[in-house]
Amino acid sequence: MNDEVIITCALTGAGDTVGKSEHVPVTPEQIAASAVEAANAGAAVVHVHVRDVETGQGSRDVALYREVVRRVRESGVDVVLNLTAGMGGDLVLDAEDPLKPVDGTDLVSALDRLPHVEELLPDICTLDCGSLNFGEGHQLYVSTPDMLRVGARRVQELGVKPELEIFDTGNLWFASTLVAEGLIDAPPLFQLCMGIPYGAPADPRVLQAMVDMLPEGAQWASFAIGRNQLPWVAESVLRGGHVRVGLEDNLYLSKGVKATNGQLVERAVDIVEGLGARVAGPDAARRILGLERGR
């Protein structure tokens, strides 16, 4: 069991959730306010996507990230910033002509996924450690070994901590290879992402198998999506990990009751403390993860 637990709140994601809950933040002002709410509720880390203000869809616009980060940093609330670098990996194929990408494709190089990280220098950014059949239909998430090596090297040069996003056991194998090759500084940080079709299922046996595969000295967290999100807080803590909650992965506090990010964090705090563990604050999170203070 983990006795000192970092809670990350994933604020909004890029999924088609805006029309499903009025609490999903869209504008930079809303996302920053939700980050502050989550931090005040007990999250040491906030994981940030941005959305196009007009459409509500996920975006890679650096100006949107710039405004969110500015607002959070000027709020006076201390929280560790984790910016996604996973946007730019979407490939949607034509069923009749698989060599032809269609609407929904947003596929760019490894370095073109990082301009907001290069400019804003967050504490953490994500590195999605493999390609994936993303749900039904013809959508793929593309992140090749060479892309990942290029991205990891650049993030290392910037002094930003990569959060290694693991969607299946092969992702974990490759992420451990990056660690062995010296492209990830100690301590490596893994996020075990469970229940995303068609990656690792939200099965405690699979989680334990993945935990057993982690390299020595790794820090790790895990989350599951939908109704499994809050029970998974306990699963992760009991197996020695940190936790993630938030509207990116789950919209409900209980059946039929829509949640805010702050409410999900509050519930996670209750679960962690109910297990007899401590919730880590931002300074403790920096110590545990080996982060430099004061970017």
Side-chain angles (χ1 to χ4, degrees):
M1 177 171 153
N2 187 9
D3 294 323
E4 191 172 19
V5 178
I6 299 167
I7 298 175
T8 293
C9 185
L11 302 171
T12 188
D16 188 20
T17 55
V18 172
K20 298 176 182 178
S21 173
E22 65 275 20
H23 300 305
V24 175
V26 174
T27 68
E29 182 179 12
Q30 292 169 344
I31 294 168
S34 201
V36 171
E37 176 196 20
N40 286 333
V45 181
V46 289
H47 174 57
V48 179
H49 286 251
V50 294
R51 292 179 179 266
D52 182 276
V53 174
E54 299 298 326
T55 67
Q57 298 301 306
S59 174
R60 292 189 285 109
D61 188 338
V62 175
L64 296 175
Y65 281 104
R66 185 184 303 124
E67 185 175 352
V68 172
V69 170
R70 177 184 62 80
R71 287 177 177 272
V72 173
R73 287 175 172 167
E74 291 179 356
S75 72
V77 172
D78 188 20
V79 69
V80 176
L81 283 171
N82 175 343
L83 302 187
T84 185
M87 302 297 289
D90 295 326
L91 173 62
V92 184
L93 301 178
D94 186 302
E96 302 301 323
D97 182 4
L99 292 178
K100 177 184 175 183
V102 297
D103 287 346
T105 293
D106 179 31
L107 185 59
V108 298
S109 72
L111 295 182
D112 285 339
R113 302 180 194 189
L114 294 174
H116 60 305
V117 176
E118 293 178 332
E119 176 180 329
L120 300 170
L121 296 177
D123 305 280
I124 301 169
C125 73
T126 60
L127 193 66
D128 291 23
C129 289
S131 301
L132 180 71
N133 287 329
F134 200 79
E136 305 294 343
H138 299 282
Q139 183 174 351
L140 305 172
Y141 183 81
V142 178
S143 192
T144 68
D146 280 354
M147 284 178 172
L148 286 163
R149 287 187 171 97
V150 169
R153 185 174 295 109
R154 182 58 181 144
V155 170
Q156 188 178 53
E157 291 169 351
L158 294 170
V160 174
K161 168 75 72 174
E163 182 182 73
L164 305 169
E165 304 291 294
I166 306 300
F167 296 91
D168 213 342
T169 52
N171 294 178
L172 179 48
W173 182 3
F174 185 75
S176 297
T177 299
L178 291 178
V179 174
E181 291 175 353
L183 291 171
I184 307 296
D185 293 335
L189 172 60
F190 289 74
Q191 181 70 258
L192 308 180
C193 312
M194 316 297 288
I196 293 94
Y198 285 100
D203 183 323
R205 298 168 298 178
V206 177
L207 176 61
Q208 187 61 58
M210 295 171 78
V211 171
D212 291 343
M213 292 173 61
L214 290 166
E216 185 176 355
Q219 289 292 330
W220 66 275
S222 180
F223 71 91
I225 65 172
R227 65 181 182 180
N228 289 313
Q229 182 180 84
L230 292 170
W232 212 259
V233 171
E235 292 285 357
S236 191
V237 173
L238 290 171
R239 285 169 171 77
H242 305 287
V243 304
R244 167 171 142 174
V245 294
L247 294 177
E248 176 172 348
D249 309 312
N250 165 49
L251 300 177
Y252 292 92
L253 193 64
S254 59
K255 186 175 181 179
V257 180
K258 292 178 181 176
T260 67
N261 279 311
Q263 289 171 332
L264 290 170
V265 173
E266 288 171 354
R267 185 64 58 85
V269 169
D270 289 343
I271 295 168
V272 170
E273 292 181 342
L275 292 170
R278 302 187 308 280
V279 174
D283 282 339
R286 293 183 182 98
R287 169 179 53 78
I288 292 166
L289 301 178
L291 301 174
E292 295 181 7
R293 179 70 194 270
R295 282 197 184 282

